[in-house]
Amino acid sequence: DGGITQSPKYLFRKEGQNVTLSCEQNLNHDAMYWYRQDPGQGLRLIYYSQIVNDFQKGDIAEGYSVSREKKESFPLTVTSAQKNPTAFYLCASSFPSGLAKNIQYFGAGTRLSVL
Amino acid sequence: ILNVEQSPQSLHVQEGDSTNFTCSFPSSNFYALHWYRWETAKSPEALFVMTLNGDEKKKGRISATLNTKEGYSYLYIKGSQPEDSATYLCAFITGANNLFFGTGTRLTVIP
């Protein structure tokens, strides 16, 4: 089945710890995205990548890091510098984002909580 | 960050009722608008892509209209069913290809 897989579904972070959220897609999409959702807010863009080995900061990149070593994978690391990491994280992918019709396909999300 | 507003935030309707909700966005620099449906415990899925020269979109009992001059899009659901219960998100795409999501409208259809 083609799709986007996020893991884990739930993740707990201790103070001062870095944690990594996994996102894998087998849709052959070039572009991948990470969003954060907080209660009462829309999805906010953390990072995106248009192509392998390239990525750009989104609106709220501070305290996060990403890599894009393979087309299929776009892991997100929540670093200890992110002081308020508790949120729901969604990964998405699409064909090149330059085309308006290129809708995004989403994973099921990871809920991160701080212990 | 652009302001994309959706209203109402939540909505309860009886099964069989028709309903609609709004996505408001800046009227300048429009490139496209997407509507997504996000059911609980599932992934958001695309419903419609609205472009500048596009007509009303329709998928079964759900349709969407677009007014780029005044900066809004309506999503209509005719004869709501319990399976329509979900959060409906709109995403505004600018000419610079930046995408901004609204906060969503949570629809609950009461059997």
Side-chain angles (χ1 to χ4, degrees), chain B:
Chain B
I1 298 178
L2 294 179
N3 198 25
V4 179
E5 294 185 353
Q6 290 188 246
S7 61
Q9 270 194 333
S10 66
L11 190 57
H12 290 73
V13 301
Q14 290 291 137
E15 182 176 353
D17 287 351
S18 294
T19 187
N20 66 85
F21 24 93
T22 308
C23 172
S24 301
F25 51 84
S27 56
S28 61
N29 203 19
F30 176 90
Y31 186 56
L33 186 91
H34 295 173
W35 278 101
Y36 292 84
R37 175 166 59 199
W38 191 359
E39 295 179 66
T40 302
K42 294 187 178 180
S43 309
E45 290 185 343
L47 281 173
F48 300 117
V49 175
M50 319 288 290
T51 55
L52 197 59
N53 299 317
D55 297 323
E56 175 179 336
K57 301 286 185 181
K58 189 167 174 146
K59 184 183 287 188
R61 293 178 292 98
I62 304 177
S63 60
T65 61
L66 179 69
N67 185 323
T68 56
K69 189 175 178 183
E70 296 184 32
Y72 64 84
S73 175
Y74 289 147
L75 192 78
Y76 298 91
I77 303 179
K78 185 177 177 182
S80 303
Q81 299 297 308
E83 58 265 29
D84 296 328
S85 297
T87 296
Y88 292 83
L89 295 171
C90 67
F92 170 71
I93 299 119
T94 70
N97 206 36
N98 297 311
L99 189 150
F100 299 94
F101 278 92
T103 53
T105 292
R106 177 174 286 185
L107 174 67
T108 303
V109 181
I110 303 163

